[in-house]
Amino acid sequence: MTIRTRKFFGTIALLVLVVFWSLMGMTVAQTPWLANSGWLQAIFYVVAGIGWVLPAMPIISWMSKPDI
């Protein structure tokens, strides 16, 4: 697979990941136990904001591998 094709599929995968992550984050953020606590909200938004990077890192490293 060429790097151009990997970047195309990787871009689609990253877009799907970001949309899924944001929808799940909005769903969890509306739960009553989280909505009623300021400290839990702060921790949740930090974790949710940084957390999508962990699944994105393997996709990005796969996208940037050189052609064989």
Side-chain angles (χ1 to χ4, degrees):
M1 186 179 296
T2 65
I3 193 168
R4 187 176 179 146
T5 307
R6 280 194 309 272
K7 284 188 178 187
F8 175 72
F9 287 122
T11 301
I12 292 171
L14 286 173
L15 288 173
V16 169
L17 172 68
V18 168
V19 168
F20 175 76
W21 195 269
S22 62
L23 291 175
M24 291 306 296
M26 287 187 291
T27 302
V28 173
Q30 298 302 314
T31 57
W33 60 270
L34 186 61
N36 294 332
S37 173
W39 282 104
L40 284 178
Q41 282 182 353
I43 293 168
F44 170 75
Y45 286 117
V46 167
V47 170
I50 297 173
W52 70 274
V53 174
L54 293 175
M57 286 174 21
I59 297 172
I60 293 171
S61 66
W62 174 76
M63 287 170 53
S64 61
K65 285 191 331 188
D67 290 339
I68 298 173

